[in-house]
Amino acid sequence: MSSLLTPDSITLYALTQPCSSLTRPTHALRRIAPLRTHKVLRHHTVPSCVATAPGAPATEISSNGSSYSVTDSIVADDVAGGSSSDTTDWSNDALSVVVVGASGDLAKKKIYPALFALYVEGHLPEYFSIFGYARSKMSDEEFREYIGGSLTCRLSDGENCGDKFDKFLERCFYQPGQYASEDDFKTLSGRLTEVEKEREKAHRVFYLSIPPSIFTAVAGCASTAASSPSGWTRVIVEKPFGKDSESFAQLEKELSNFLTEDQMYRIDHYLGKELIENLTVLRFANLVFEPLWSRQYIRNVQVIFSEDFGTEGRGGYFDQYGIIRDVIQNHLLQIVALFAMEAPVSLAAEHIRNEKVKVLRSMKKLSLDDVVIGQYRGRSGGGVEKPGYLDDDTVPEGSLCPTFASVAVFINNARWAGVPFLLKAGKALASRRAEIRVQFHQVPGGLYQDKLGHDPDRSSNELVMRIQPDEAIYLKIINKVPGLGLNLDVTKLDLTYKQRYNVHLPDAYERLILDVIHGDKRLFIRNDELDAAWALFTPILKEIEEKKIQPETYPYGSRGPIGSHYLAAKYGVRWGDILSAED
Ligand SMILES: NC(=O)C1=CN([C@@H]2O[C@H](COP(=O)(O)OP(=O)(O)OC[C@H]3O[C@@H](n4cnc5c(N)ncnc54)[C@H](OP(=O)(O)O)[C@@H]3O)[C@@H](O)[C@H]2O)C=CC1
Ligand SMILES: O=C1O[C@H](COP(=O)(O)O)[C@@H](O)[C@H](O)[C@H]1O
């Protein structure tokens, strides 16, 4: 819905709707209204109204026919969600984003390009600055050159970004320092204040793009020595959030010495992907889907992640975690939680997260029989030479670390009992893709069975949400082949985004960083969600490690270990991505 609204249409909506329905449009508005237009949007006369949210106290949004402001609506919104009220006035206040670990891979690959895209599209406030912080020595100039190489202009209509590029870089600064040094963070804070001094109030975001071993030290120093003296301070924490229940609890305990839950934004970048944000829209805004969303109609759900490259370059990190911790326990499980949750009371962050956590807590204990692990081996021939996982110098010799896993999970509740949710993730496979496949039961009665046969995979509906690449939603239906005979086939009702929408899809990091700026936590993970996710996976991870379970090897570039097919077959399922590559 948000993509269809212009700032004007939102204003109109706000003016014509009763106050209690402000929540949705203000969410949409946050997303799409460039920050610099807030000034324009702020002053509109509306009648006095009171926003009430279930379970929340009534909040007066505006009184005596005075003015309705974006800021006020954010307060109403947050009260509805039970999270902190964000009264930031972006027409006046400054914003500093500090990228801690500024010399690293994630910062260069994702964070700077996302910040630049937000700037180009007018989503950063007028008084913004970006600070890089890391141990590497760099001057501001060198930093600008360093990040300049990672920025691309993605404006359409041949618009030139050159000017924007220079202006953006002018607002970028670098401060070298140690991660555990309060003094160095004090120096950083001094420099931030220098740049922020043009405004009375400045807000600070710290993006912890660093290895987890130093999360706590940095959170401590940032909070003690570099919190904003005049505005709010928020901290984005990257995964991994621990390695198991115990280390997660320990990390939380340590971080909570310095940060409140309100300040913490635990990022799972899969939640920022376009198709994942659309998941709840597709289900809850479409009458043709919502009633079908249960064991009564759905045979199985598959969440598939595959990459056509190995851990090259990241083997050292990866070996300590493995694919279950790297992808399944977080990205894929979050997708299942969103997919399977009951309708939330509203779109407010806490309402959504309350429902997700119920799903996670309803999951049946995992058994080793429901897990298959694999590890890729090298492949050579046909002019191709691909290394195996163990060929990586940074991987310990003889490592049993899984680079592939498939897992069958079950949700023990009235809606989903008995429906297998099959999760599969692997590196060095045949293709790069991430998708959700929903396979429906066959139509009972069998009117066309003689034409369709008995194979449910060839005679029932499948809904596919392709998260990447080439975002699409398509529904496989049984259709009559045009002509005089009665021939049936399975064909697609196809919503391929690049054919339907002439827009550049924002990167997940853009969406998520913007949400942090707006204090919107819907797409961030709450601590109890992680606690539940670790409670599900910790016992099985321990068992795999303690019993030294040997991963089944598979060749680089293949479709993964055979065991994965047996696991699916045990539940009468065939992996949808294997049936046919184009399907
Ligand atoms: N890269 C990716 O694609 C993804 C990364 N992540 C997570 O994001 C975070 C950052 O990832 P990434 O950029 O790849 O990490 P890097 O390994 O590139 O580390 C980032 C920076 O931290 C500093 N650093 C590295 N190792 C250490 C160390 N042992 N002790 C102290 N400082 C160190 C280095 O800066 P300097 O030496 O200059 O101080 C480095 O440039 C991690 O938590 C990672 O798990 C999450 C999803 C994807
Ligand atoms: O979090 C991670 O995600 C990436 C895949 O992200 P994508 O957006 O490119 O699909 C994965 O390669 C990495 O191992 C993992 O840590």
Side-chain angles (χ1 to χ4, degrees):
M1 174 177 112
S2 60
S3 61
L4 298 175
L5 291 171
T6 62
D8 283 344
S9 61
I10 292 163
T11 307
L12 187 66
Y13 191 102
L15 287 168
T16 55
Q17 293 301 308
C19 207
S20 57
S21 61
L22 278 172
T23 309
R24 282 164 200 245
T26 53
H27 272 305
L29 182 144
R30 283 187 194 175
R31 275 286 151 61
I32 66 168
L35 286 171
R36 280 176 235 133
T37 66
H38 280 196
K39 236 181 194 154
V40 184
L41 287 170
R42 276 176 66 81
H43 299 292
H44 293 288
T45 303
V46 290
S48 172
C49 60
V50 171
T52 46
T59 302
E60 196 163 10
I61 285 186
S62 120
S63 59
N64 57 40
S66 59
S67 68
Y68 157 66
S69 77
V70 171
T71 309
D72 293 335
S73 71
I74 288 171
V75 174
D77 216 17
D78 283 330
V79 168
S83 60
S84 73
S85 39
D86 187 339
T87 52
T88 314
D89 174 2
W90 287 119
S91 57
N92 282 314
D93 300 355
L95 169 74
S96 300
V97 179
V98 181
V99 182
V100 184
S103 55
D105 180 59
L106 183 73
K108 188 159 186 175
K109 227 171 44 189
K110 294 290 184 184
I111 303 173
Y112 307 132
L115 287 165
F116 181 57
L118 289 175
Y119 172 70
V120 168
E121 286 170 17
H123 290 295
L124 294 185
E126 194 171 344
Y127 301 97
F128 81 95
S129 59
I130 314 286
F131 269 78
Y133 185 93
R135 296 171 305 183
S136 303
K137 300 268 180 285
M138 269 190 268
S139 64
D140 288 346
E141 259 328 300
E142 284 165 333
F143 180 58
R144 287 169 188 155
E145 221 166 274
Y146 174 74
I147 64 178
S150 64
L151 307 181
T152 48
C153 179
R154 56 158 230 217
L155 285 179
S156 53
D157 305 330
E159 254 185 89
N160 186 356
C161 273
D163 187 36
K164 295 211 154 100
F165 192 82
D166 294 341
K167 288 218 166 82
F168 176 79
L169 289 180
E170 265 171 34
R171 308 289 305 180
C172 294
F173 307 88
Y174 185 79
Q175 180 62 37
Q178 297 298 317
Y179 296 115
S181 162
E182 269 189 34
D183 284 346
D184 287 356
F185 273 85
K186 256 187 213 137
T187 311
L188 167 71
S189 187
R191 285 204 66 202
L192 285 163
T193 307
E194 261 304 286
V195 173
E196 292 162 347
K197 72 170 186 263
E198 51 197 343
R199 309 311 302 161
E200 222 171 88
K201 216 185 213 185
H203 310 284
R204 293 182 182 172
V205 173
F206 287 83
Y207 197 131
L208 306 197
S209 182
I210 42 172
S213 53
I214 48 174
F215 282 170
T216 309
V218 170
C221 290
S223 134
T224 316
S227 285
S228 167
S230 57
W232 49 251
T233 301
R234 295 179 182 150
V235 179
I236 305 178
V237 188
E238 263 294 348
K239 66 176 252 283
F241 310 105
K243 289 187 77 173
D244 51 26
S245 292
E246 292 80 38
S247 52
F248 166 67
Q250 179 65 25
L251 176 68
E252 281 296 297
K253 194 167 152 230
E254 288 169 9
L255 290 178
S256 69
N257 289 330
F258 307 109
L259 304 170
T260 61
E261 177 64 22
D262 229 30
Q263 288 181 293
M264 238 187 290
Y265 288 73
R266 297 180 198 83
I267 206 163
D268 182 314
H269 77 280
Y270 263 65
L271 294 184
K273 294 200 183 250
E274 188 62 45
L275 263 282
I276 299 303
E277 224 201 336
N278 196 27
L279 185 53
T280 36
V281 179
L282 188 76
R283 172 177 168 197
F284 293 117
N286 288 289
L287 192 65
V288 293
F289 291 126
E290 217 300 308
L292 304 184
W293 226 253
S294 74
R295 64 196 297 270
Q296 203 179 344
Y297 299 101
I298 292 178
R299 202 157 41 102
N300 68 78
V301 180
Q302 305 176 17
V303 187
I304 298 169
F305 165 100
S306 78
E307 282 181 338
D308 56 0
F309 48 89
T311 58
E312 294 98 316
R314 281 186 85 209
Y317 154 81
F318 190 86
D319 202 76
Q320 296 171 45
Y321 291 90
I323 198 78
I324 295 179
R325 293 184 177 94
D326 191 44
V327 173
I328 298 184
Q329 181 269 354
N330 37 69
H331 304 325
L332 303 199
L333 203 60
Q334 280 292 320
I335 292 175
V336 173
L338 263 181
F339 180 96
M341 71 182 184
E342 297 300 313
V345 174
S346 78
L347 292 179
E350 299 319 321
H351 292 155
I352 293 175
R353 300 192 298 179
N354 289 346
E355 295 309 325
K356 278 165 64 194
V357 84
K358 282 186 213 161
V359 173
L360 297 169
R361 293 232 183 268
S362 306
M363 283 179 177
K364 190 180 134 203
K365 189 173 178 302
L366 277 175
S367 116
L368 207 50
D369 295 342
D370 282 334
V371 181
V372 170
I373 56 171
Q375 189 185 81
Y376 66 91
R377 58 175 189 267
R379 186 168 64 91
S380 54
V384 191
E385 197 68 43
K386 292 290 187 188
Y389 177 68
L390 296 179
D391 296 330
D392 185 336
D393 288 342
T394 60
V395 169
E397 208 175 311
S399 167
L400 297 178
C401 175
T403 59
F404 174 101
S406 40
V407 183
V409 301
F410 289 87
I411 302 167
N412 274 339
N413 66 17
R415 185 182 288 276
W416 296 113
V419 177
F421 283 75
L422 293 174
L423 317 183
K424 173 165 79 164
K427 302 231 169 225
L429 293 170
S431 61
R432 176 177 176 256
R433 66 160 88 191
E435 60 192 17
I436 306 169
R437 287 178 171 266
V438 188
Q439 299 191 336
F440 292 88
H441 290 296
Q442 284 171 302
V443 174
L447 199 54
Y448 291 105
Q449 207 148 56
D450 59 330
K451 299 275 173 198
L452 289 167
H454 293 272
D455 180 355
D457 294 319
R458 306 272 170 219
S459 57
S460 58
N461 300 116
E462 184 179 35
L463 174 68
V464 181
M465 280 161 263
R466 191 164 63 222
I467 302 161
Q468 66 189 30
D470 200 9
E471 291 81 350
I473 298 171
Y474 56 88
L475 178 64
K476 290 203 219 160
I477 58 160
I478 317 297
N479 199 48
K480 177 182 170 297
V481 179
L484 294 178
L486 184 57
N487 295 319
L488 308 187
D489 74 356
V490 179
T491 193
K492 283 184 194 172
L493 292 177
D494 189 354
L495 172 62
T496 294
Y497 274 41
K498 70 172 180 247
Q499 283 160 13
R500 171 65 185 82
Y501 299 107
N502 186 22
V503 290
H504 184 101
L505 299 181
D507 184 75
Y509 284 86
E510 271 171 60
R511 192 188 307 278
L512 294 171
I513 292 172
L514 186 59
D515 281 351
V516 176
I517 296 171
H518 289 303
D520 184 341
K521 285 198 153 184
R522 276 176 310 150
L523 301 178
F524 292 84
I525 313 176
R526 207 168 59 187
N527 51 2
D528 54 352
E529 293 181 69
L530 277 165
D531 184 55
W534 279 124
L536 179 69
F537 277 103
T538 298
I540 203 75
L541 285 163
K542 285 219 163 104
E543 199 175 343
I544 291 171
E545 283 155 10
E546 280 165 14
K547 291 187 175 160
K548 297 195 186 329
I549 305 283
Q550 200 75 33
E552 188 181 332
T553 66
Y554 60 97
Y556 196 120
S558 68
R559 289 177 165 188
I562 302 294
S564 175
H565 303 286
Y566 290 132
L567 174 63
K570 187 167 111 181
Y571 294 107
V573 178
R574 264 184 280 174
W575 289 106
D577 60 327
I578 304 287
L579 272 176
S580 154
E582 315 80 60
D583 278 357

